[in-house]
Amino acid sequence: MGVRAMKQFIYLDNAATSFPKPPQVTEAMIHYMSRVGANPGRSGHQLSLEAARIVQQTRESLATLFNISDPARVVFTLNVTEALNTVIYGFLDPGDHVIMSAMEHNSVLRPLKHLEEHDIIALTIAPCDRKGCLDTDALPKLVQRNTKLMVLNHASNVCGTIQDVGAVKAAIGNTPLLLDSAQTAGCYPIDVEASGIDFLAFTGHKALLGPQGTGGLYIREGLNVRPLKRGGTGSMSDTARQPDFLPDALESGTRNNVGIAGLGAGVDFILQEGIDKIRSHEKALTSTLIKALHDVPGLTLYGPLSPERQTATISLTFESILPTGSEHGFGGCGSINLAWMEEGIPINVAGDMLNRDYDILVRVGLHCAPLAHKTLGTFPDGSVRISMGYFNTLEEMEFTAEALCKIAAS
């Protein structure tokens, strides 16, 4: 973790994209560009074969990480948004019913709302509590005879709340489950077989530690998805029909192969370090920050506020407003300033102060998840999001807590 010594700032925007990356990622991409460079699967010469080997190795590493028995069922996409859209537009048919949670990202909300508004599907939004937790006991009643799919955000990009995938799958029975693992792939154990995950959408540039422009989709055997695009695959070139086998059916056109090389190095780094080690470190970071901020007047924290039940992401506001509703648990929504009549600090001002005065880089606003903010009670302004990563340190968490306390006191 010596990368941090070179930095004069504290990067806490890992939920948007992880930084820094392991040196192996950059090295793998430079190697591909300088020593390989060819298009895999398009030619028979040695450089094309080497490029194909690199891409296949990344596919196999991802299969190992997620316990996928057949690496061919891992399809590369440009990001998790493309992976989610591939299933939403390629698996659903007119008249289908879909369930999604109230903590979903716009990458799920917008395509499903688009289909609903055009009377193609019916959509039900499963409620979550003020900590972002889905009520799995209520799910069976939401399943209808024509329910074709449930889409679930594995962990919130706003407040880190982790959903119980096994309990959700048990509640919806045979209904296929599409899991959005944008915030968990690479930093939290994911086993598609043990959890009954039918579709796994992931991005490469967050906790998988790869470059931007990479991602992918796992499709369980027996499920078929229509491609979003059709074109050259390097296979079955003698026919005008799109190949019907994976991964070729969903991988038309030249991929971001240099990015896939970097992604493979990131996944191999994770496999070498171990998910348990990564998860343990991020839990320690989360615990340190929560303990330091939980009772600070002028700060409200959102989410479970438990390292066991969330990723290393915390949202907060600088306000003094008591939450409404008798069902609200004070301990689960963070500290409450009893001088609640005082005006709070706008989140954009707080974000600027963190950046300008303390060199702490965070994200403020709605984080492309307005539905989640409505659930948490932070809509329409949003929150200050602090999202840690594997290369952050406990010392940085202590410094960040001190900065937040000073801002709240101001």
Side-chain angles (χ1 to χ4, degrees), residues 219-271:
I219 303 173
R220 180 175 61 79
E221 187 174 2
L223 297 176
N224 296 312
V225 177
R226 298 180 298 273
L228 280 179
K229 54 188 177 182
R230 294 168 173 81
T233 61
S235 59
M236 296 180 62
S237 297
D238 60 333
T239 177
R241 293 183 178 180
Q242 184 76 0
D244 59 359
F245 55 88
L246 294 179
D248 296 40
L250 302 179
E251 285 188 0
S252 291
T254 297
R255 297 162 298 222
N256 178 14
N257 295 303
V258 63
I260 292 172
L263 173 59
V267 176
D268 288 342
F269 175 86
I270 292 166
L271 292 172

Side-chain angles (χ1 to χ4, degrees), residues 98-111:
V98 181
I99 304 170
M100 59 174 273
S101 84
M103 291 298 290
E104 298 306 313
H105 189 275
N106 276 343
S107 296
V108 167
L109 176 63
R110 284 176 172 174

